[in-house]
Amino acid sequence: MPDLVAGLLSGLPLWMEDTLLLVVALLPVVVIGALVLRGFAVGPLLSALLRRQAWVSVVFTALIAISIGIGVGLIAQERGLREGSARAADKFEVIIAAPGSEITAMLAAVYLQPSSIPLIDGPTYARVAEHPNADLVAPLAFGDSYENAPVVGSTPAFVEYLSEGLADGRVFATETEAIAGARTPLGVGDRFAPQHGRGDATEGAHGGFEYEVVGRMPLTGSPWDRAYIVPAESVWSVHGLANGHGPDWDGSVGAPFDPAYFPGTPAAIVKADTLGGAYVMQAQFNTDRTMALFPGTVLSQLHALMGDIRQVMSILAAVTQVLVTVGVLAGLMMLTRLLSRRLALLRALGAPRRFNFALTWSYAVTLIVVGAALGLALGSLLTRVISSMITERTDILVTASLGWSELHLVGAFVSLTALLALIPAWLTMTRPVVRDLRG
């Protein structure tokens, strides 16, 4: 039977499959409601009860809404961060670096995290650049910053590839020109002096050397939006290294580089001509002198870990919501004692026990359903707020939103708590009418 159900679901469109799963998640509360309310019209008394206990209802509903909002907001945020980090690495097909940690190399090249990485020498870089399957090979030169934003040396071809067309200005052509990321404060025509290091960088570290911004990149949704890209030659030169070209260099920045004058690079960014070509280069440059990695593969390993964390977060969110609901139901049990005289009066007027049962259960489920709906709205708001905070702190564009998995979780939560709500409703049927009337 499970195989049959899985086969039927696999043949449906994804949206229909998700809709059916949501319907299945909510089906228990519908079935319970049909059985409990069969033959009774509790609407008028339920409305009066909600008005009479307005503040209590608001408090209980708010507790459920906050619990659900925080739970689904955090779970959706994990998915948004995973998608945002993957988008940021889209342009980096293959990274070739000296042997070491693949994660460290990826974090340095893609996410511009400060790292200490061995350098690839000139002959090795030349073999990568001259490979027949390489459409683009660009070095990266780290070490400088401006107002805590990284200044990264590379080539004009890399700028054009990363930006897919500048938002303003042109690509740099000389050693003293720079490209500003979309989220940097400088515009075309502004000048800045690079500083050593990051954070507590020393101003004037390069003897008054300055760059002029001649172009701005569009938004890429990656940490490169807060970076300045400059010619690699200038980064090497201001640090007293060879500029990558021979004595007869005419001043044109970018490839080709002379292996004898190439000072080294921590990573070479490669765009292959085809997917097959990328795999060929990855295999050929995984040697004892270099490592070639697919950032997507490294990310998938990290995302697998995040997937495990997501499962734990989902379980914790569900447990938290159930615990909050159990607390609410415990409060409802106390509330039924406060309402015992009114419920006993209904019994004395001829209402059957099951009517009180239906009324109490309807009251509890109304709070649960309204709280769940408000929780989804709160969760949607929280995802936007948290996404903007993560984007600001990590420079990775995160656009999280609630999805079907969160709806399925809330649907299952509503059904489970509706089942638990039968407990306080059942207790109203066991109370002695005469004692409650006298009380």
Side-chain angles (χ1 to χ4, degrees):
M1 181 61 70
D3 293 338
L4 178 61
V5 174
L8 292 175
L9 290 178
S10 63
L12 297 175
L14 186 58
W15 68 269
M16 187 176 296
E17 180 180 340
D18 288 326
T19 302
L20 286 176
L21 289 175
L22 180 60
V23 171
V24 170
L26 292 173
L27 187 59
V29 69
V30 176
V31 173
I32 294 173
L35 294 175
V36 170
L37 300 177
R38 181 172 56 87
F40 296 129
V42 299
L45 283 177
L46 176 60
S47 300
L49 183 59
L50 290 170
R51 289 193 299 270
R52 184 74 176 178
Q53 305 296 331
W55 285 109
V56 175
S57 301
V58 168
V59 171
F60 287 172
T61 302
L63 287 174
I64 297 174
I66 292 172
S67 171
I68 290 179
I70 294 175
V72 299
L74 291 178
I75 294 172
Q77 204 59 57
E78 181 272 338
R79 184 179 62 253
L81 183 58
R82 185 171 66 246
E83 294 172 352
S85 62
R87 281 195 304 269
D90 276 347
K91 285 289 187 177
F92 297 82
E93 291 184 2
V94 183
I95 297 174
I96 298 178
S101 169
E102 291 186 346
I103 293 178
T104 300
M106 182 194 68
L107 291 177
V110 178
Y111 302 104
L112 301 180
Q113 294 297 305
S115 304
S116 178
I117 304 176
L119 302 180
I120 300 174
D121 59 27
T124 302
Y125 180 84
R127 286 197 299 273
V128 177
E130 294 167 0
H131 196 281
N133 291 114
D135 267 358
L136 168 70
V137 178
L140 298 181
F142 301 115
D144 286 341
S145 67
Y146 175 70
E147 294 184 348
N148 205 33
V151 175
V152 184
S154 194
T155 64
F158 175 73
V159 173
E160 293 172 349
Y161 170 66
L162 184 63
S163 64
E164 295 184 350
L166 295 178
D168 190 18
R170 59 174 175 82
V171 179
F172 52 69
T174 67
E175 285 188 279
T176 59
E177 296 177 339
I179 302 297
R183 303 182 68 197
T184 58
L186 300 185
V188 174
D190 292 334
R191 304 182 69 87
F192 68 94
Q195 307 156 353
H196 281 315
R198 295 279 291 274
D200 56 349
T202 303
E203 296 186 8
H206 300 304
F209 179 83
E210 287 188 335
Y211 291 106
E212 179 184 355
V213 177
V214 296
R216 280 181 64 86
M217 292 201 303
L219 191 69
T220 65
S222 73
W224 290 84
D225 291 333
R226 289 220 187 252
Y228 297 94
I229 307 178
V230 300
E233 292 88 346
S234 64
V235 177
W236 294 328
S237 296
V238 298
H239 290 91
L241 304 173
N243 59 23
H245 303 278
D248 57 347
W249 179 46
D250 62 359
S252 300
V253 297
F257 295 102
D258 189 331
Y261 294 89
F262 190 84
T265 179
I269 306 302
V270 178
K271 179 186 180 299
D273 53 356
T274 62
L275 179 60
Y279 277 100
V280 169
M281 295 190 69
Q282 193 265 347
Q284 291 185 1
F285 288 100
N286 260 331
T287 67
D288 57 346
R289 296 178 62 86
T290 59
M291 67 176 181
L293 59 106
F294 294 120
T297 302
V298 179
L299 272 177
S300 67
Q301 298 171 1
L302 296 177
H303 290 166
L305 176 61
M306 292 176 67
D308 295 337
I309 296 175
R310 177 186 175 86
Q311 292 180 2
V312 174
M313 290 173 61
S314 299
I315 294 172
L316 290 177
V319 170
T320 301
Q321 292 166 15
V322 171
L323 289 176
V324 169
T325 304
V326 169
V328 171
L329 295 178
L332 288 174
M333 292 181 186
M334 299 176 61
L335 183 60
T336 57
R337 296 188 63 180
L338 296 176
L339 298 175
S340 59
R341 189 170 184 178
R342 293 185 178 87
L343 296 174
L345 183 59
L346 288 175
R347 290 279 308 280
L349 292 174
R353 288 185 177 185
R354 203 165 66 83
F355 182 84
N356 284 355
F357 177 89
L359 178 61
T360 307
W361 182 86
S362 300
Y363 178 69
V365 171
T366 299
L367 300 185
I368 293 168
V369 172
V370 173
L374 293 176
L376 286 174
L378 177 61
S380 179
L381 176 62
L382 284 177
T383 55
R384 292 187 177 91
V385 174
I386 299 175
S387 292
S388 62
M389 294 173 61
I390 293 178
T391 299
E392 187 66 27
R393 296 295 298 272
T394 66
D395 294 324
I396 297 174
L397 181 61
V398 178
T399 54
S401 60
L402 300 187
W404 282 105
S405 57
E406 288 75 37
L407 294 177
H408 296 157
L409 178 64
V410 173
F413 163 78
V414 170
S415 289
L416 177 59
T417 49
L419 182 63
L420 294 176
L422 295 173
I423 299 174
W426 177 78
L427 291 178
T428 61
M429 298 174 60
T430 63
R431 298 186 63 84
V433 177
V434 175
R435 190 181 67 182
D436 287 342
L437 286 174
R438 290 176 178 174

